[in-house]
Amino acid sequence: MPSMVPEPYRIKAVEPIRLTTRAEREAILANAGYNIFFVKSEDVYIDLLTDSGTSAMSDAQWAGLMVGDEAYACCRNYDRLKDVISDIFGFCYFLPTHQGRAAEKVLFSAAVKAGDYVPSNSHFDTTRANIEAVGGHAVDFLISEGLVPTSQHAFKGNMDVKRLNRFIEDVGAQRIPLAMLTITNNFGGGQPVSLANIRTVKEVLSQHGIPLFIDACRYAENVYFIKQREAGYGNKTTLEVAREIFSYADGCTMSAKKDGLVNIGGFLAMNDERLYQQASQLLILWEGFLTYGGLAGRDLEAMARGLREALDEKYLQHRIGQVRYLAERLLEQGVPIVEPPGGHAVYLDARRFVPHIPQAELPGQALVAHLYLEGGIRAVEIGSVAFARKDEKTGEWTYPELELVRLAIPRRVYTQTHLDYVADVIIELYHKRDQIRGMRYTYEPPFLRHFTARFEFV
Ligand code: P71
């Protein structure tokens, strides 16, 4: 199979983008305190900051907005969404939310109490923060291969079941109200979880009566990897694989801003009626009535249609192919990335890209700055700026194992020519990597540092 198939769509509306000059970008970035989050969208040429909420909707989704039923209660779009969710995910109950973290907040507030533990393969940061906000502890049991950028393991997002088992025996099942699996694993490179792993995790949890929830935001991409890589699934439809995944779960949280192909939206789903009732109360308090949950009727319709489109095998083949295409172009030139490439992004391995910059001098952030200066490309650091921890007493830093720069590919937005441009810029930068200098903070906020910190070159 060629590494990239043509777009399975044609373009009906266009949005102009503009490449600034090098001198303009130098001024813009300095003005932003070298924090890419403060650069105006219109000053970015290729925006790979996130694949979340940045998808291009289809003509069918845009048409769906016009049949939005904006009644406060029991709008028709709720029913359509309900049918789609029950068809794909199969859970008894669902609650719409405005995005993924709202589903997390409702779930953990209903299910987790202070001192509880929630194990996962790898919690996303909003998930972790929402667990900690109710006094719980979020713990990760990713397989060790998941932390090795060059490991070719087919399912680097898998949970280490032995460690999970030992952990349950150590702390006791009564302190673990639920466990989670993030599919695909965003932090370790967009890596998938195998069906065998999901099944085994479920078996272990069942023995202890612990429910399993899936963080499903990139589940369709995970489905595609299972079809490609796991024996026995190649001939199943994407819908069949999705149904099998969720058959092992007791519920899920969903940010539909990813594999729902919408700009805003999410949901929480579950089988347990009591949990549903508790969650319903919180939903009404924080999001809105049960049939709209912080969204307009039209948003529900766009989500219902987007969820179906994201399971289209031709779409997924192109989508995953795009990510792989960019990865292969970089690998050909020896650019160090997380291998094999994941579903939604290519992750540069900053430790090997700029080995002369110690983690204390923020190599990932330095790369992010240079990608913008060189080519107007916006990426995001997933390394020391996002995750290093400082000991409040000694002032000493602990640095994360992975120092990555994520190039997230928005869905259905950029063409192969855009990706070739991105590859060319990165390859050129790689050839002069010796000139890249480290960075230091000029302003270091107390938490969620990456959003508001400011920097300068060392
Ligand atoms: C991403 C995002 C969006 C994001 C969120 C927070 C800081 C920076 C960027 C969001 C996820 C995610 C997973 C696995 C839940 C959420 C929250 N990812 N789980 O990767 O990746 O969803 O944004 O709809 O609330 O850029 P939400």
Side-chain angles (χ1 to χ4, degrees):
M1 197 178 60
S3 136
M4 179 122 155
V5 294
E7 283 76 8
Y9 46 80
R10 54 187 176 181
I11 295 165
K12 187 166 347 211
V14 295
E15 183 182 3
I17 50 176
R18 181 181 78 100
L19 180 59
T20 48
T21 64
R22 169 91 197 200
E24 283 174 318
R25 288 194 294 280
E26 277 170 10
I28 290 165
L29 196 61
N31 227 339
Y34 294 90
N35 185 336
I36 205 77
F37 282 96
F38 289 120
V39 174
K40 285 195 172 84
S41 160
E42 60 195 25
D43 292 332
V44 175
Y45 186 44
I46 307 288
D47 202 343
L48 308 182
L49 183 71
T50 180
D51 63 319
S52 179
T54 52
S55 302
M57 292 209 297
S58 66
D59 52 355
Q61 285 177 292
W62 281 105
L65 298 188
M66 278 309 286
V67 293
D69 169 355
E70 306 306 342
Y72 191 95
C74 300
C75 67
R76 63 177 164 252
N77 316 103
Y78 172 82
D79 290 327
R80 299 221 180 118
L81 180 60
K82 185 174 182 214
D83 289 346
V84 172
I85 290 177
S86 100
D87 191 44
I88 299 173
F89 300 86
F91 298 115
C92 303
Y93 306 101
F94 95 98
L95 295 165
T97 60
H98 79 278
Q99 61 184 85
R101 69 197 70 183
E104 294 159 8
K105 183 181 181 197
V106 168
L107 171 64
F108 300 132
S109 301
V112 176
K113 54 185 193 316
D116 283 350
Y117 291 88
V118 181
S120 175
N121 55 338
S122 177
H123 286 286
F124 185 67
D125 59 3
T126 57
T127 321
R128 175 177 303 279
N130 272 302
I131 291 167
E132 289 170 357
V134 295
H137 308 285
V139 284
D140 291 345
F141 299 117
L142 189 66
I143 56 167
S144 57
E145 289 90 339
L147 291 173
V148 182
T150 50
S151 158
Q152 299 293 327
H153 194 291
F155 292 99
K156 288 169 84 174
N158 280 358
M159 186 140 170
D160 186 331
V161 183
K162 275 207 191 103
R163 281 166 67 207
L164 171 69
N165 219 340
R166 214 174 312 133
F167 183 77
I168 299 172
E169 274 155 21
D170 284 353
V171 307
Q174 69 287 349
R175 291 175 73 194
I176 307 176
L178 73 150
M180 293 197 80
L181 280 173
T182 310
I183 66 172
T184 58
N185 172 23
N186 191 359
F187 281 150
Q191 302 293 329
V193 180
S194 72
L195 250 171
N197 189 249
I198 298 173
R199 205 182 297 120
T200 315
V201 167
K202 175 62 183 173
E203 271 163 27
V204 167
L205 294 172
S206 292
Q207 285 161 17
H208 300 277
I210 301 168
L212 171 64
F213 274 69
I214 290 181
D215 179 338
C217 64
R218 298 184 180 87
Y219 85 96
E221 290 164 2
N222 203 105
V223 161
Y224 192 76
F225 282 119
I226 289 172
K227 271 178 64 68
Q228 292 288 299
R229 298 179 184 172
E230 198 161 350
Y233 290 96
N235 291 325
K236 293 214 190 302
T237 65
T238 53
L239 183 61
E240 284 167 341
V241 178
R243 284 177 179 161
E244 184 171 343
I245 290 176
F246 294 104
S247 75
Y248 301 123
D250 300 277
C252 74
T253 56
M254 177 76 187
S255 168
K257 296 171 74 170
K258 286 86 169 170
D259 281 349
L261 291 170
V262 285
N263 305 118
I264 195 74
F267 63 84
L268 169 64
M270 72 283 275
N271 287 330
D272 186 291
E273 190 183 351
R274 263 199 49 193
L275 178 63
Y276 171 70
Q277 281 162 352
Q278 284 171 297
S280 297
Q281 299 305 304
L282 298 175
L283 191 86
I284 293 170
L285 187 62
W286 291 328
E287 290 280 282
F289 187 60
L290 308 181
T291 59
Y292 74 87
L295 292 168
R298 56 177 171 271
D299 299 327
L300 301 174
E301 187 66 35
M303 194 187 343
R305 296 180 185 208
L307 284 168
R308 284 241 186 268
E309 290 176 11
L311 273 183
D312 178 336
E313 196 166 336
K314 291 281 179 247
Y315 153 76
L316 284 170
Q317 181 188 14
H318 173 260
R319 159 84 181 146
I320 308 276
Q322 255 197 338
V323 175
R324 194 176 53 224
Y325 174 79
L326 176 59
E328 281 171 358
R329 280 225 42 205
L330 297 176
L331 283 171
E332 270 167 24
Q333 297 296 319
V335 178
I337 63 168
V338 174
E339 295 173 61
H344 66 296
V346 172
Y347 294 66
L348 301 176
D349 184 355
R351 279 176 135 177
R352 287 183 292 145
F353 199 115
V354 278
H356 57 285
I357 303 179
Q359 277 184 293
E361 290 179 8
L362 314 174
Q365 191 62 27
L367 262 187
V368 168
H370 278 84
L371 287 173
Y372 182 72
L373 293 173
E374 293 296 317
I377 297 164
R378 173 151 64 180
V380 72
E381 195 254 20
I382 305 190
S384 294
V385 178
F387 295 127
R389 274 190 310 256
K390 185 147 95 178
D391 187 303
E392 287 310 324
K393 284 189 204 107
T394 63
E396 231 167 88
W397 288 93
T398 316
Y399 295 101
E401 197 144 339
L402 293 175
E403 190 75 36
L404 305 177
V405 170
R406 187 183 73 173
L407 307 154
I409 315 292
R411 294 169 183 78
R412 304 192 294 206
V413 170
Y414 292 117
T415 64
Q416 180 165 356
T417 326
H418 291 124
L419 297 184
D420 276 326
Y421 170 82
V422 171
D424 290 344
V425 168
I426 294 172
I427 290 163
E428 210 178 302
L429 182 62
Y430 187 61
H431 288 143
K432 52 181 182 187
R433 59 192 179 278
D434 295 352
Q435 295 166 30
I436 299 176
R437 276 172 302 153
M439 304 201 87
R440 62 176 157 244
Y441 293 104
T442 56
Y443 166 60
E444 190 200 316
F447 60 78
L448 293 174
R449 204 163 36 221
H450 47 299
F451 290 117
T452 54
R454 295 189 172 247
F455 309 89
E456 64 187 8
F457 283 111
V458 173

